[in-house]
Amino acid sequence: SSELIYGAYILVWPAVTLGVLVVICWAVVRDARKARASDEDLL
Amino acid sequence: MNENGFTQFSTLTVLLLLAAFYGGTYLLTLLIRKDKEDTSGFMVAGHQVGFGMGAASMTATWIWAASFYAAATSGYTYGVSGPIHYGLWGALMILFIYPFGRRFRKLAPHGHTLGELIHARHGPSSQLILAGSNILGSVISLMVNFTAAGALVSILSPLSFQTGVIVAGVGVLAYTLTSGFRASVFTDFAQLVALMAIAIIIIPAVLFAAGGPAVMVDGLSQLTVEQANIFSMDAILNQGAPFFVAVLAYAIGNQTISQRLFAVRESHIKSTFVTATIGYGAIVIGLGMIGLMALSVGMEPIDGNMNNIIPQMVSTYLSPLFVGLFFILVIGSLSSTADSDLSALSTIMMADVYGKNIAGDQANPRTMMLVGRVTMIAATVAGLIFASFSLDILVMLVFVGALWGAVVFPVIVSCYWDRVTNAAFTWSVVVAMALFCIARFDLLEMTGLTVLTFEVLASVGGAVVIGLMVFGFFGRTAGLLAGLLVLVPMLIYSTGFLRDYTTLMASLTAYGASALVCTAMSLFSNERFDFDLIKQRVGDYDGVDEESNLVPEGAK
């Protein structure tokens, strides 16, 4: 159990990072599609 | 491996990696380049940055080269809780500023810098105190990031330290110069995707290459009692508390943050900054865990230099491919922060110095753009020179940190309380800095009533820090109550105790003194400021009609 706890304590951070990466990429793709549809610039 | 125990790349390999990174980044900026850039786009991307781009940019900007090294050092030094005491408080700097950011944005919807808002509220002296602290912070940041590039290149290749410094400086300037803040945000997104992907791969790779959790758990027996304790008081007092005190100071003192508060769409400020908080914390704490792993396997940093921990672990346990990924990780993190510093410095010079103090009613957008680009070039040259000479900036860093702490209370309160005057703002900062210097550098003998006075001021400072944090989220009554609830135990327990922690006491003294002076002078004033005036005084600078000589709102 201590190995599991240690492993989880280390690996939870890259897992959260992956989650944030997915959210950010999803939001940027959504904004890019909106910008293209309305013929505006993304930035 | 070289004689130091690190993976050694050839000159050609490192030059190709650098060319791929900076060349690719430059090509990215061509996608958003406009024939005619305007000042609003150059400074804040027209106030229209979306949630995804904003969160990516804020995260990438806040992660600089020192983040990984310092988090790993904290893990190696303080054990299990070390990385959290570095990454968590850094992340909270992003979180705790956003409620105030929404207020800044409400007062000045078309602002570019916090200095502009303070100029509209108080006039030039208060504004230039804030702008000066912003400039010092960004120049130091530029220098540190260029230094990190030089150190990395010299460790992993035969190339010299100076070569790494120059390539980083020229590379960052090349892709930022034309489009300014828009280029910074767009490239931040690409750099953050690379940063996150590499962090997601490297952390588990090191863990399992070093033997997996079983080997690590066996190594925990080598830790001291404090290092093995997740609630280590050693880590809290030496790593966590000084960082916690700086949470609001770093956020207020950094134009890179306020620039994004003015750039993100107003309705997306909360979601952007909460996401950036989680992203920053996860990446930095995760990479800090490599320091804990190094401690668990009994690794000794080469030459006793803690900055060697991550490259040493990656070189020892992983293939050169991963070392190359680590190289890109560090170059990406330092470049994303350096380009934000260049944008911040150019915006301060454009809006705070030229727009508000030189041009007066006649700010010309074309001149303003020239000021911005010349500032970027001058700042890069200054950063390269300071980095090349490896100047000892510790005293300067201490001074800037205190200055940021001293301006926190007057800046925030000026945005809510109509009685705060320019004199109250200015004198509160001056008195706070004087008292900070006395406490930090022992200019008076710290005994008897003298040290007791400073401990009381520091207790007030602690109450101010907590009070402001609570006030941001829950309003005035909750903030005052939280401040009082902290003040009482602080007065009881910190007297006779804080004197042993000079740095912490001096930092808290800056907060406490500026809050007391600012409040006292404001209570004696008869001024009642109309906050609607700020909206009228702060606006965009574009759209000067040269024939009819109409003046844009922001130039007034």
Side-chain angles (χ1 to χ4, degrees), chain A residues 2-4 6-7 9-21 23-28 30-31 40-43, chain B residues 34 50-53 56 80 84 182 186 189 192 196 200 204 213-214 216-217 220 230 278 282-283 285-286 289 292-293 296:
Chain A
S2 56
E3 287 174 27
L4 272 176
Y6 191 104
Y9 183 58
I10 300 285
L11 296 176
V12 69
W13 309 105
V16 173
T17 301
L18 179 60
V20 173
L21 178 60
V23 168
I24 284 175
C25 287
W26 165 78
V28 170
R30 184 196 58 178
D31 286 350
E40 290 175 349
D41 293 326
L42 178 60
L43 266 179
Chain B
K34 292 178 178 173
F51 156 60
M53 282 283 181
V80 176
I84 291 178
R182 291 193 317 112
F186 193 58
F189 168 65
L192 185 81
M196 286 183 151
I200 289 165
M216 298 292 170
V217 169
L220 287 178
I230 189 81
I278 298 168
I283 296 172
I285 294 172
M289 289 297 164
L292 174 61
M293 290 187 244
S296 299

